[in-house]
Amino acid sequence: MTEAAELPPAPEQAREVFGERFADAVRYAELLAEAGVQRGLIGPREVPRLWERHLLNCAVLSEVVPEGVTVCDVGSGAGLPGIPLALVREDLKITLLEPLLRRTNFLTEVVELLGLDHVTVVRGRAEEVMGKLPPVHVVTARAVAPLDRLATWGIPLLRPYGEMLALKGDTAEEELKSASTALSKLGAVTTSVVHVGEGVVDPMSTVVRVEVGESPGGVRFAAKRAKAARTGRARRRRG
């Protein structure tokens, strides 16, 4: 059995980024390093770089999230980027969407332990919850899937004129270029690559931003969304 790696002390930047929630960020890091590894949510080799590569890398996403909006973190996994974002932005209403039970159990425990009243955990796949969850202003994702596939899951969850923010690596520009046709069909009107976290993380975090128009997901998903809404209203009337 591999010996668990030791979680390093929090860097000074973490105190600045998480502020009053710094102690909660430390507790979350400890949970990831202990239960997260034990349950197979993160690899043991990630523990020494949890702060820089995971918590801070995700927390700086807050720089490009508008104030007071609703957010759905698709394929949230161990809570990245949703939990760090929630710790630095109590003005947001965040849904952590994750299909696997062992992960949603972990997320629920973290949310309760840290008292994140503005965070909701939902078990399910993005394509299954469309029409069941209210459309959101912002969809976030990290290390879930290639951009073209991620977009087919995330964009239909958006409100008109919402945006998807996907944390990506060095291949962000190439992914965006190769996914351009698929994004257009899904209702994207503006795309860009932005870098966040200057002075906090090195290298800075890379974010692919996809802004949609009045029909998130395109025509096909508009019809599907309308059908789901009608079904929901019918169920409420029967109830």
Side-chain angles (χ1 to χ4, degrees):
M1 187 175 175
T2 307
E3 187 176 340
E6 187 175 344
L7 176 68
E12 194 57 39
Q13 294 96 317
R15 290 184 180 274
E16 298 168 15
V17 170
F18 290 104
E20 294 179 0
R21 284 283 196 169
F22 172 69
D24 290 326
V26 171
R27 186 70 190 110
Y28 177 50
E30 292 169 347
L31 288 166
L32 286 174
E34 296 159 8
V37 172
Q38 291 163 10
R39 300 187 198 181
L41 304 183
I42 65 163
R45 291 183 181 178
E46 296 303 311
V47 174
R49 50 187 185 178
L50 264 178
W51 283 106
E52 289 82 1
R53 187 181 175 91
H54 298 287
L55 275 77
L56 288 171
N57 180 275
C58 290
V60 296
L61 183 63
S62 65
E63 294 177 20
V64 287
V65 177
E67 188 174 344
V69 298
T70 53
V71 178
C72 183
D73 188 31
V74 172
S76 195
L80 300 163
I83 297 289
L85 184 61
L87 287 169
V88 297
R89 294 288 300 276
E90 294 191 25
D91 60 299
L92 305 174
K93 295 287 185 186
I94 300 177
T95 298
L96 306 179
L97 182 62
E98 168 55 48
L100 295 184
L101 180 60
R102 62 187 169 91
R103 293 176 180 170
T104 53
N105 285 342
F106 175 78
L107 292 173
T108 300
E109 291 166 20
V110 171
V111 166
E112 291 176 356
L113 184 67
L114 302 184
L116 298 174
D117 298 333
H118 57 306
V119 177
T120 304
V121 178
V122 174
R123 184 185 176 198
R125 298 183 184 280
E127 57 269 36
E128 296 169 348
V129 301
M130 193 184 72
K132 298 176 184 176
L133 291 181
V136 296
H137 298 92
V138 176
V139 162
T140 59
R142 177 179 187 256
V144 174
L147 187 61
D148 53 353
R149 200 185 325 154
L150 173 64
T152 65
W153 301 334
I155 288 180
L157 300 177
L158 290 169
R159 295 169 48 136
Y161 308 104
E163 59 185 328
M164 183 175 75
L165 300 172
L167 280 161
K168 288 287 182 179
D170 298 336
T171 61
E173 294 279 4
E174 290 86 347
E175 276 198 64
L176 186 53
K177 188 176 180 181
S178 64
S180 61
T181 301
L183 292 173
S184 295
K185 288 179 181 177
L186 287 165
V189 293
T190 308
T191 61
S192 57
V193 174
V194 295
H195 299 280
V196 293
E198 185 175 4
V200 178
V201 287
D202 185 20
M204 290 193 291
S205 300
T206 302
V207 182
V208 173
R209 175 187 248 155
V210 178
E211 299 172 78
V212 301
E214 61 182 15
S215 299
V219 176
R220 184 164 63 92
F221 283 101
K224 196 172 177 182
R225 193 181 295 109
K227 182 180 177 182
R230 286 195 300 272
T231 303
R233 286 196 297 270
R235 281 187 188 137
R236 286 194 292 275
R237 282 198 297 269
R238 287 197 299 269

